[in-house]
Amino acid sequence: MNTSAEDVRASAVRARQAASALAPLPRAAKDAALLAMAGALLERQTEILAANAVDVAAARAAGTSDALVDRLTLTPARIEAMADGLRQVASLDDPVGEVIRGRVLANGLELRQVRVPLGVVGIIYEARPNVTVDAAGLCLKSGNAALLRGSASALHSNRVLVDVLREAAVATGLPADAVQLVPGADHESVKHLMRLRGLVDVLIPRGGAGLIRTVVEESTIPVIETGVGNCHVYVDVDADLDTALAVTLNAKTQKVSVCNSAETLLVHAGIAAEFLPRVLAALREAGVTVHGDETVRAVDPSAVPATDEDWATEYLSLDLAVGVVSSLDEAVDHIRRWSSGHTEAIITRSLAASRRFIAGCDSAAVMVNASTRFTDGERFGMGAEIGISTQKLHARGPMGLPELTSTTWIGIGDGHLV
């Protein structure tokens, strides 16, 4: 049954009313709700797993890949992890009310800039029902109402999860509509959501390149782009080759289905003869399919010939594009052409080279002698995150609680006049 625009609009209106109630809440009230939500997830685990089993069975019957089925599947351990995530968010500092800067003007007017909630945050995401809980928790702690639109494949799971979270919120005195699932499972409901400028303050798409591109191109609401990660590792002529080998393997193989895994390896021609045989053998042993340029294929004829499509691809699999460059500048030029602006890494013992690489790359994160896998809110010590922003405005890099706020200027005077 198709979802009407009125249904989706009504949910946004309720979210806006809830956001007004959430904005002034003290930290203690928000933390109490988060802890109640964590407890409710465990108490209703049987109900959650039963709903998830329906989604998983439908996905398998539809021929969904094993990787996507795994993302969809909940287990007692994963539910415990979601509850732990909510507890972690409760332990984090409340960003609302934080003073960014302030001063007293010459005329005595007290001026300060403080963090305030964004308002209503719409999140469109694929497959993973854990995102439902993560997003709701982060939005609540930052004083925002969450309007969630998960994929149809996780509909039964998400309905129960949101029901659990809403009941826990109400039990602690918060409005139920602090967390809502956007009505409907058809594409029309997403389109209706993307037209609610003025009711929804920001949309955050979490998923593949196709989803993000659709939201960016079709939404009338401001969008924060997250997720797509065509990340690079560049091995400089002054690299320690043992470090280069370890970082390359970690960045590519530690977990392939995430946005901060490496998709391209660039090797300086000055160390290619020594390094390529080592790294190609190690990648082959790890089960990685190499898509290489002519120099790489001369060393390993089994490598797949690399094309422009390979340099542009976020594989999210055991595939890696590998090329040889004549200089650091050529590496930077390659990265600026093909990167999605997520994370780049340089392996070098040269401080000058690292500085040039950092200055040359135009990405949300740049690593020096470290894996691209470090670009993560928790690994950065920020706690949980809503995603990795690859754009430049409002937020860039891991989006934690502060990135889910805006600011307000407050002026305090004593009858001051201009």
Side-chain angles (χ1 to χ4, degrees), residues 79-124:
I79 293 175
E80 179 66 49
M82 291 191 296
D84 284 343
L86 291 175
R87 298 187 194 104
Q88 181 191 55
V89 172
S91 72
L92 298 173
D93 291 338
D94 187 347
V96 178
E98 177 189 356
V99 178
I100 305 301
R101 51 182 167 169
R103 63 185 183 275
V104 179
L105 302 184
N107 62 6
L109 184 72
E110 298 177 12
L111 192 66
R112 64 181 184 269
Q113 184 184 24
V114 301
R115 293 194 184 278
V116 295
L118 288 168
V120 177
V121 178
I123 303 174
I124 302 173

Side-chain angles (χ1 to χ4, degrees), residues 72 94-95 182 323-324 329 359 368 370 391:
L72 178 62
D94 187 347
V182 175
V324 174
D329 290 337
V368 178
Q391 65 185 42

Side-chain angles (χ1 to χ4, degrees), residues 21 31-32 63 76 126 133 151 169 192-193 228 246 249 290 346 348 352 382 418:
D31 288 351
E126 298 173 332
V133 176
S151 64
H192 298 326
L193 174 62
V228 176
L249 289 175
V290 169
I346 180 174
T348 186
M382 298 164 55
V418 175

Side-chain angles (χ1 to χ4, degrees), residues 331-352:
V332 169
D333 287 344
H334 179 105
I335 290 168
R336 290 181 72 94
R337 179 179 179 187
W338 298 110
S339 173
S340 62
H342 192 296
T343 303
E344 325 304 343
I346 180 174
I347 313 302
T348 186
R349 290 172 291 195
S350 167
L351 179 60

Side-chain angles (χ1 to χ4, degrees), residues 44 119 141 189 305-306 334:
R44 295 176 64 179
K141 183 63 180 263
S189 68
H334 179 105

